[in-house]
Amino acid sequence: MHDDRLLVEGRLERALRQFIRPAIHTARTPLTLTVWHAPGEPVPVAEALAAAYEPFEPGTLWGRPWSTSWFRLAGRVPEEWAGRHVEVVVDPGFNDEGPGFQAEGMLYDAAGVPLKGVHPRNRHLTVATRAEGGEPVDLLLEAAANPAVLRDFEPTFLGDVRTAGDRPLYRFAGAELAVFDDEVWHLVLDIEVLSELMRELPADRPRRHEILRALEDALDALDLHDVPGTADAARAALRRVLAQPAAASAHRVSATGHAHIDSAWLWPLRETVRKASRTFANVTALARDYPELVFACSQAQQYAWVKENQPHVWERIKKAVTDGNWAPVGSMWVESDANMPGGEALARQIVHGKRFFAEEFGVETEEIWLPDSFGYTAAFPQLAKLAGVRWFLTQKLSWNQSNKMPHHTFWWEGIDGTRVFTHFPPVDTYNSQFLAAELAHAERNFAEKGRASRSLVPFGWGDGGGGPTREMLERARRLRSLDGSPRVEIEKPSAFFAAAEEEYAAAAPVWSGELYLELHRATYTTQAKTKKGNRRSEHALREAELWCTAAALRDPSYAYPYDALDRIWKTVLLHQFHDILPGSSIAWVHREARDTYAAALAELDALTTDAVRHLGGAGLGSAREAALNASPYPRAEVVEADDGALVHVDVPALGARTLSPPPSGTPHVQAQQADGAWVLENDHLRVTVDADGLLSSVRDLRAAGREVLPPGNRGNLLQLHPDHPNQWDAWDIDKHYRRKHTDLTAADSVELVESGPLRATVRVVRSFGASRITQELRLAAGSRRVDIVTDVDWQESEKVLKAAFPLDVQAERSAAEIQFGHVHRPTHTNTGWDAARFEICAHRWLRVAEEGYGVALLNDSTYGHDVTRTPHAEGLGTTVRLTLLRAPHSPDPETDLGTHRFTYALLPGAAVGDAVAEGLALNLPLRTAP
């Protein structure tokens, strides 16, 4: 037999494109359009219903960036369409961008009840499956003119309503009534499923040729000039090949509907409120037609938004949960970043999420659902188990640049030995469309073949929302058991996990430690003010809760501010979403985040001040000023009183001490000039700041005068690198950045501004490019650390700023603080896995050590670090660098430009316990109050 496969496939492609798909809607008639352009931010439907509308013609431009236009769609079903399946089809100007990344909208009925969302792959609304002639159609379309921001990572000012301009983005293509031909639509799906499967099968498989000839027979049965009249005959030619069941050994796919909705990313938070409503309306509408649908939906915050803003949709969600079509999953308030949130915050993510699902739906969620976060802390397994969570799901590890994860289903072991059963879907997407290529990839890619037989496939349009479509549900029906394809069963994630655990738990491999993503490493640094706001808010919440609790216990008249603290916690948790805290959202998101953090911190300060006042009223205070210690460690520090005077004070753990005149024997520090350098010395350290303002010597006096810096090296060396990742500007720092750098050694001025007896400070000013850095190198009486208080006017473009500390410590590994513990990472690059960790995350401290001696680097708002082995004249040392600032251009073209203030510190002679205590002290300064 001659091989004419390509001819048949070409014939099929043209017939499908030119004749069959266009025949799905056999007749069309335009609806009459009128419009009201909302003048500012989105408004409730009630306000839109009361607005004055004006005539609007299809083909007209509309929609300045981030604006909303409300369109009335009016008409009647033609009499000759009586008994037919009639739909409204809307196209406000969709382009080639995917759903969620362009114009989208919500359709309401004439009374303002939301019906369903519309996007480029879901443009229809069914009027009636058997329409009545003359039936009126009166709808309202809330159309959002959201711009496409992320185009080849080119800088654009479309990412903020203040800079996006007024040029209309879209041309309204039309809104029509159309007759929907079910048989033609089903024929299209039959052909698509079979032809896609055929292309995935090897050319020597009989099944491939069997499908090809069945498709050829279907084309022969079809009159391309009368597709509706011959569609049934064409479908009949395909029934036999569609009916052949999957092999008994076929991979089993548990499919669950999904719509990953980034709580903010290329759109502001307020738009996510509408994205969630549109998507959830779509899903609940779809469930009426497809009772087998199960939709897995995470992020309690998004549910809360819908409950508040769309009560009709909320009631439909509750019904879908009861009916089994909807599965609340994830156990978290948002799908947060999984590296940078503090331990208490990560615990609160789970507590608030699980509480919401339990109170609103009576559902006890059993999984952590984080498909898109940028790596996963090794603290997660124990937190999950403590919260009653059994399972963990991620997808993002498929993005690894260098090393392929060896498992898809495995036990993940945390830092305390706790294990959680984990799945990493081999389909390598959380936005599956049930394409044959996706399912074939899942089967081929599955690492546990021979021991396990099933994997999870989340299907539906996502990232910008959208969710499953009727086409996807129809594909799933055809793929339930189809020869040549994996078996597909739509079910809840819990059903998949329970079956996978029963099948494989005893034999599943173990992955120990963090799930490090070999990509998006710059998210530890980008948008420094967002990260600082998070760190400060986490610690301010700790402090407020501590003193508010103390006041409630001590003063019967004091009312604990539960509602305010609960609200602020939820605000902080929301901003830990995995495109806000990592710095990968548009300018609008981070501008609002800065304002939100400032408001939260001001409110927390007021709550703490009030609580402390009540403590004084309970007889615990005095007329004198006191220092309050919110740390669980006793503190002996220098603080600044209200009158500006410095006072050394010993404060017990979780306690207070009045600021008294210093007794004799108070620790002191002295400063003197020698050989053009400043020498600062207390009982613990002798620190030399040279004429360039760099640390030329740091001697640990309690360790027999041990020099911390290697011979010929200087500490706190600021280094400026070009920063041009291959793509994903805000997200990535690619290793080639290290090939070139500039040491910022030139100083505008180096001067001693405090000389003791309680604090000595050298101020260093440096200018480079259009930027300026002022640093105060401080040594306080009795302190074991050197604090470096930094003010930066940052005006660089596509640069990364590092602060380097070469240390005379031969460390085989570093220890970095994470939630409720720390992780060790090699300092060498023996393997590809080691080499890939060239940028790492740490919370308040990172420590390197050799036998008997360690040094820690502390910070108050920095997360990105790198650690390398560094030969020097007398041996091998270790260089630790903090990543301070970046300046990428996409998606925010002015990322981090402006002023910044942060502090980091060098702590010689540090054991792990010292790093913990001092890192906490740096982040929880003693509070002074009456």
Side-chain angles (χ1 to χ4, degrees), residues 56 210 259 362 383 416 693 919:
F56 184 87
E210 182 183 42
L383 289 175
D416 71 336

Side-chain angles (χ1 to χ4, degrees), residues 198-217:
M198 174 186 68
R199 287 175 170 83
E200 289 303 313
L201 295 171
D204 60 355
R205 285 277 297 274
R207 176 65 169 164
R208 174 169 183 149
H209 297 272
E210 182 183 42
I211 293 173
L212 178 72
R213 297 311 162 192
L215 289 169
E216 187 176 35
D217 292 344

Side-chain angles (χ1 to χ4, degrees), residues 24-51:
I24 291 174
H25 291 107
T26 57
R28 298 173 181 260
T29 186
L31 292 165
T32 300
L33 297 175
T34 54
V35 68
W36 173 62
H37 301 293
E41 284 294 278
V43 300
V45 65
E47 187 173 335
L49 286 169

Side-chain angles (χ1 to χ4, degrees), residues 352-400:
H352 280 289
K354 287 182 70 70
R355 178 183 295 156
F356 183 92
F357 294 132
E359 291 179 351
E360 297 293 343
F361 304 118
V363 172
E364 190 67 37
T365 52
E366 295 184 285
E367 67 287 297
I368 300 292
W369 186 276
L370 288 176
D372 193 34
S373 298
F374 310 146
Y376 305 90
T377 172
F380 245 131
Q382 68 192 73
L383 289 175
K385 187 170 184 178
L386 287 167
V389 168
R390 297 172 59 188
W391 307 306
F392 190 95
L393 178 134
T394 173
Q395 181 63 69
K396 201 67 174 185
L397 298 175
S398 65
W399 288 46
N400 270 6

Side-chain angles (χ1 to χ4, degrees), residues 202-494:
D204 60 355
R205 285 277 297 274
R207 176 65 169 164
R208 174 169 183 149
H209 297 272
E210 182 183 42
I211 293 173
L212 178 72
R213 297 311 162 192
L215 289 169
E216 187 176 35
D217 292 344
L219 289 175
D220 291 341
L222 194 65
D223 183 348
L224 295 183
H225 293 283
D226 183 17
V227 173
T230 55
D232 183 67
R235 291 195 70 199
L238 300 175
R239 287 194 183 107
R240 184 180 61 81
V241 289
L242 280 168
Q244 290 184 224
S249 61
H251 185 68
R252 295 178 180 272
V253 164
S254 294
T256 185
H258 193 231
H260 181 62
I261 305 175
D262 285 313
S263 288
W265 181 28
L266 305 179
W267 45 85
L269 286 167
R270 65 88 156 149
E271 193 57 30
T272 312
V273 176
R274 299 200 294 178
K275 284 177 174 288
S277 296
R278 290 188 284 257
T279 298
F280 295 175
N282 276 346
V283 173
T284 52
L286 191 62
R288 290 194 294 262
D289 298 326
Y290 292 89
E292 72 269 28
L293 172 62
V294 175
F295 180 67
C297 186
S298 65
Q299 304 196 75
Q301 172 68 85
Q302 294 181 7
Y303 288 78
W305 282 331
V306 173
K307 179 183 179 182
E308 179 182 355
N309 292 280
Q310 290 286 4
H312 290 95
V313 177
W314 177 247
E315 291 303 316
R316 285 154 54 181
I317 291 172
K318 291 198 294 185
K319 182 180 185 301
V321 172
T322 300
D323 292 346
N325 297 118
W326 192 291
V329 296
S331 304
M332 297 178 70
W333 190 248
V334 295
E335 290 184 12
S336 73
D337 177 78
N339 286 309
M340 290 176 284
E344 180 68 17
L346 205 55
R348 299 282 184 129
Q349 287 282 358
I350 301 172
V351 168
H352 280 289
K354 287 182 70 70
R355 178 183 295 156
F356 183 92
F357 294 132
E359 291 179 351
E360 297 293 343
F361 304 118
V363 172
E364 190 67 37
T365 52
E366 295 184 285
E367 67 287 297
I368 300 292
W369 186 276
L370 288 176
D372 193 34
S373 298
F374 310 146
Y376 305 90
T377 172
F380 245 131
Q382 68 192 73
L383 289 175
K385 187 170 184 178
L386 287 167
V389 168
R390 297 172 59 188
W391 307 306
F392 190 95
L393 178 134
T394 173
Q395 181 63 69
K396 201 67 174 185
L397 298 175
S398 65
W399 288 46
N400 270 6
Q401 276 182 322
S402 306
N403 299 282
K404 181 180 173 63
M405 277 292 292
H407 318 302
H408 286 104
T409 304
F410 55 96
W411 289 103
W412 180 20
E413 183 179 270
I415 53 176
D416 71 336
T418 299
R419 294 178 178 181
V420 61
F421 195 69
T422 299
H423 185 61
F424 159 38
V427 70
D428 286 349
T429 180
Y430 49 79
N431 296 325
S432 172
Q433 301 170 50
F434 280 134
L435 302 178
E438 294 170 341
L439 298 181
H441 176 73
E443 185 171 44
R444 287 192 297 263
N445 191 39
F446 187 50
E448 274 62 56
K449 288 188 287 286
R451 293 291 183 183
S453 64
R454 63 183 71 235
S455 67
L456 185 70
V457 171
F459 68 94
W461 293 104
D463 288 327
T469 64
R470 60 185 180 182
E471 289 78 13
M472 294 175 191
L473 271 296
E474 287 292 341
R475 286 171 172 265
R477 286 178 172 180
R478 289 159 174 79
L479 293 164
R480 182 179 176 88
S481 179
L482 181 61
D483 186 17
S485 174
R487 297 175 183 269
V488 172
E489 181 76 25
I490 294 178
E491 57 187 355
K492 292 182 178 180
S494 58

